[in-house]
Amino acid sequence: MKENNIANKQAMCEVLIDAAKLDPSLLVLTSDSRGSASLVAFGEERPNQLIEVGIAEQNIVSIAAGLAHMGKHPFVASPACFLSMRSIEQIKVDVAYSNKNVKLVGISGGVSYGALGMSHHSLQDIAVARAIPNLQVLLPADRFETVRMFQALIDSDVPAYIRLGRNPVQDCYEQLDYDFEIGKAVTMIEGRDVTFIATGETVRQAMDAAELLNRKGVQAEVLNVHSLKPFDTSAVLRTARKTGCVITVEEHSIHNGLGAAVAEALAEETGIKQKIVGFPDEALITGSGPELFRYYGLDGESLAETASEFIGG
C-alpha cells in the first residue's frame, strides 16, 4: 500500500481555498488553531476570509452564528476536545436551535492528541453532538472522502459538526470519483460472514481486519458510516440481515456513539449478534494514537482477532 502523507485536515484546506475563491461569503474562523488545523495556506491565499478569534471557543461559535445570520458561510476549525465540550451550549442554542448555517470542524479528534491524555481526547463529542436537533454529525474516512464531504458541505445550508483527526491515514478509497452523499453509508468491502461497521478513521482499521480475515477464509463486510446523523438505518439493517453478525468500530467512548446508533437501528431485529468496539468508560492510559489503538483493540490485527472469536462464540 502506498504511504499517504496528506492528513484529512489538509485536504479540507484545499477544498476551502478553492471554494473561497468563488464565494466571498465563505469564511474560516480559527481559535489560535490555523496551524494545527492545516489552514495556514488558507490564510495566506485568502487573508480577508480568515478570522482569528484566539483561544475563545465559546465566542467563536457565537460569532460564526452571527455571521451566518448575516448571510455569511462560516466554517469554524478548533480542537474537537474543546469545541465539543466548552462550546456545547453555544452549539446547541446559537447554531442548532437557531438553525444557522455554521460548519463546526473538530480537529485532532478522538485520541489524536495521544499522550496529552483525557483533557485533550475527544471521546464524547459524537455522543453529545448527535443528541442535538438540527445538527448533522459527520466523520470522513480518508482524504478522498474529506474532499467529497466538504464539497457537499459547501453546497449545504444545514448546520453540521465534522470530526477530523490529526495525522494522515491510509487511503480507503483509490480516487475521488465515487458516489458520495451525506446520510448514505458506503459498502467498502462485500462479505457474508461478519460485518464491520466503522466511522471516520477507524474505517481503514476495519478494512485491514477484513483483509486479514479473508486470508483465513472469513469473508468480512465493511460498511463506512460517515454520517452518524443523518443515519443510514436501511444500510445497517441490510448488512446486519445479510451477515447476522455485526461489530461496530469507533474512535469514541463505547457509550452513545456509533455502537449505540447501530444498536438503536437493530433494536427490533432478532437473531443478529452485535459487539461494540471503542474506548472504555475510563481515563485512558498515556500513549500515542497508534499505541492506544493497539492497547484497546482498535487496530486491524486486534479487530480480526475479535471478529474470529465473536463469530465462533
Side-chain angles (χ1 to χ4, degrees):
M1 182 187 301
K2 185 178 179 181
E3 190 75 16
N4 169 43
N5 296 314
I6 300 174
N8 291 350
K9 57 186 183 176
Q10 184 178 340
M12 168 193 71
C13 179
E14 294 170 1
V15 174
L16 292 178
I17 288 173
D18 291 342
K21 292 176 181 178
L22 302 175
D23 181 7
S25 71
L26 190 153
L27 303 174
V28 170
L29 291 80
T30 56
S31 56
D32 193 30
S33 53
R34 75 176 73 180
S36 57
S38 295
L39 288 166
V40 172
F42 184 96
E44 292 173 345
E45 293 206 30
R46 312 302 299 176
N48 294 329
Q49 289 173 265
L50 186 140
I51 300 172
E52 176 56 65
V53 175
I55 303 175
E57 289 83 3
Q58 294 170 324
N59 287 347
I60 200 172
V61 174
S62 295
I63 291 169
L67 290 167
H69 183 73
M70 298 304 295
K72 302 299 183 181
H73 190 181
F75 283 74
V76 173
S78 184
C81 54
F82 306 135
L83 183 63
S84 65
M85 294 289 114
R86 291 182 179 174
S87 312
I88 199 61
E89 181 179 359
Q90 287 73 27
I91 293 173
K92 173 185 171 184
V93 177
D94 296 348
V95 174
Y97 180 57
S98 301
N99 201 25
K100 297 304 178 187
N101 183 16
V102 178
K103 304 304 190 291
L104 302 154
V105 185
I107 58 173
S108 299
V111 294
S112 295
Y113 280 126
L116 293 180
M118 186 172 177
S119 63
H120 282 64
H121 294 166
S122 56
L123 299 178
Q124 299 79 32
D125 54 339
I126 305 308
V128 175
R130 79 181 191 99
I132 298 177
N134 294 333
L135 187 68
Q136 293 183 338
V137 182
L138 311 171
L139 291 84
D142 68 0
R143 55 179 172 147
F144 296 123
E145 190 159 75
T146 299
V147 169
R148 295 303 304 274
M149 182 177 289
F150 275 84
Q151 289 172 340
L153 288 166
I154 287 165
D155 293 333
S156 167
D157 61 359
V158 179
Y161 172 76
I162 309 99
R163 189 221 269 184
L164 303 179
R166 183 177 180 83
N167 301 309
V169 292
Q170 291 307 304
D171 295 336
C172 299
Y173 297 92
E174 295 182 358
Q175 56 187 3
L176 285 170
D177 186 19
Y178 73 97
D179 292 333
F180 175 87
E181 183 179 347
I182 291 175
K184 295 295 183 183
V186 182
T187 300
M188 309 298 291
I189 299 175
E190 294 277 358
R192 66 184 182 189
D193 299 318
V194 62
T195 301
F196 288 109
I197 301 180
T199 186
E201 297 182 8
T202 62
V203 173
R204 181 66 260 173
Q205 310 295 334
M207 293 175 69
D208 290 345
E211 292 167 5
L212 289 171
L213 288 168
N214 187 55
R215 298 172 193 169
K216 300 178 180 179
V218 177
Q219 295 184 20
E221 185 151 296
V222 178
L223 184 69
N224 169 16
V225 180
H226 53 68
S227 300
L228 269 291
K229 192 178 161 190
F231 190 72
D232 194 348
T233 300
S234 61
V236 169
L237 289 174
R238 178 198 59 77
T239 188
R241 290 166 178 165
K242 177 181 179 182
T243 67
C245 191
V246 171
I247 299 173
T248 58
V249 188
E250 58 192 310
E251 190 178 355
H252 186 267
S253 166
I254 55 173
H255 298 310
N256 305 323
L258 172 66
V262 171
E264 291 162 9
L266 300 179
E268 297 183 3
E269 295 291 306
T270 57
I272 295 175
K273 297 171 62 179
Q274 180 186 352
K275 185 174 183 62
I276 297 174
V277 177
F279 287 101
D281 186 24
E282 64 188 42
L284 306 186
I285 65 166
T286 299
S288 67
E291 288 171 341
L292 292 173
F293 267 51
R294 174 62 180 169
Y295 185 87
Y296 290 103
L298 274 78
D299 64 301
E301 185 177 347
S302 298
L303 290 172
E305 293 174 0
T306 297
S308 296
E309 295 173 2
F310 190 54
I311 293 171

